[in-house]
Amino acid sequence: SEDTRYAIELKDGFEYLKVKSTIPDGNEYKKYVVLYMNKDDYTPVIMEILDSEDRVSIKIEYTNFVYDAPIE
């Protein structure tokens, strides 16, 4: 998306690479997506879906993330 923003952000005592973007065809309840990644290896840590007032409506926490893991 053209309005994607990147920043380093301190959250819960850790520094993350934060990527925020507008959700295409979103609505007032799911306007933005924010992905927090480990800034050393770029693995996802937290993904949040925000409403039009930047309030978290959905929060997903990644644990034991594996790139290209086989799907069973």
Side-chain angles (χ1 to χ4, degrees), residues 29-67:
Y29 303 106
K30 55 175 187 151
K31 181 83 173 177
Y32 306 104
V33 60
V34 180
L35 180 62
Y36 293 91
M37 295 183 282
N38 179 312
K39 72 175 195 164
D40 296 323
D41 62 9
Y42 302 108
T43 54
V45 179
I46 300 168
M47 182 172 65
E48 297 174 334
I49 305 297
L50 308 178
D51 66 13
S52 59
E53 296 182 15
D54 278 347
R55 294 179 299 209
V56 176
S57 57
I58 298 171
K59 181 176 181 178
I60 299 167
E61 294 183 7
Y62 296 91
T63 58
N64 302 320
F65 183 84
V66 177
Y67 283 110

